[in-house]
Amino acid sequence: KLKKTIKLVGTDIDGVWTDARMYYSADGDIMKSFSTYDGMGVELLRQVNIPLVIMTSENTEIVTKRAEKLGVAHVYQAETQKLDRLKEVCKELEISLDEVAYIGDDVNDLDVLKSVGLSAMPPNSPILNQFSPDYLTSRPGGDGAFRDFVDFILSNK
């Protein structure tokens, strides 16, 4: 069982919702692949009134479109200070960092992973030698890692 009540879920995108690859066409168009399992994870959180915050250091229309399709209100792109942003969202929602579950996969997520009540990483994260999360997803990034994390949270409430 979870030691704390989770009132907010935060997530990185590349390496969690995607396989960390960026595909470029000959015309320079960028494409990313998203798992529909992760989209259902967003819906499952919505059903239990747990808001989601997306924070990514990338800045692409792709993430904007995906978030719009899923109805995610808190989306921060080109975010270089994820922990500061998360603290702002927590203040707005009147919750503490202990009430946040966060999944990330790389060095720019470390300060957040170390600060939240529940941390998670996909098994293909390149920083598993630097940080041991509270939960290691059974699915890799881009293949339902976020959904796996949501299922873990909801099954342990």
Side-chain angles (χ1 to χ4, degrees):
K1 293 287 181 188
L2 300 178
K3 295 177 188 172
K4 301 161 186 80
T5 300
I6 299 302
K7 296 183 179 178
L8 175 69
V9 173
T11 183
D12 180 38
I13 290 293
D14 293 312
V16 176
W17 288 43
T18 76
D19 60 8
R21 293 183 174 107
M22 293 187 190
Y23 302 89
Y24 290 87
S25 72
D27 296 328
D29 296 323
I30 303 170
M31 295 182 294
K32 296 180 186 199
S33 175
F34 293 95
S35 170
T36 58
Y37 298 138
D38 294 334
M40 183 55 71
V42 174
E43 177 59 28
L44 293 172
L45 288 175
R46 184 176 292 111
Q47 289 174 10
V48 295
N49 297 313
I50 298 176
L52 174 66
V53 59
I54 292 173
M55 297 185 296
T56 178
S57 58
E58 290 291 323
N59 190 3
T60 67
E61 188 66 22
I62 298 166
V63 172
T64 301
K65 295 286 187 196
R66 185 69 177 141
E68 285 174 356
K69 179 177 173 77
L70 297 173
V72 178
H74 297 283
V75 181
Y76 303 98
Q77 295 196 68
E79 187 58 65
T80 59
Q81 301 297 320
K82 291 183 178 184
L83 183 56
D84 290 341
R85 177 66 69 185
L86 185 57
K87 286 177 181 177
E88 289 175 13
V89 173
C90 286
K91 185 176 180 180
E92 174 188 326
L93 298 176
E94 299 179 341
I95 63 172
S96 71
L97 285 173
D98 277 351
E99 297 170 306
V100 176
Y102 183 81
I103 183 169
D105 74 309
D106 217 332
V107 294
N108 60 339
D109 297 304
L110 272 174
D111 57 348
V112 176
L113 290 165
K114 292 176 182 178
S115 301
V116 295
L118 179 66
S119 62
M121 295 165 61
N124 56 323
S125 167
I127 61 165
L128 285 171
N129 62 336
Q130 296 176 49
F131 181 77
S132 295
D134 298 313
Y135 182 70
L136 188 65
T137 65
S138 61
R139 294 177 160 273
D143 193 27
F146 177 76
R147 167 66 182 276
D148 180 278
F149 186 42
V150 169
D151 287 345
F152 174 76
I153 293 166
L154 296 181
S155 68
N156 286 286
K157 279 188 80 166

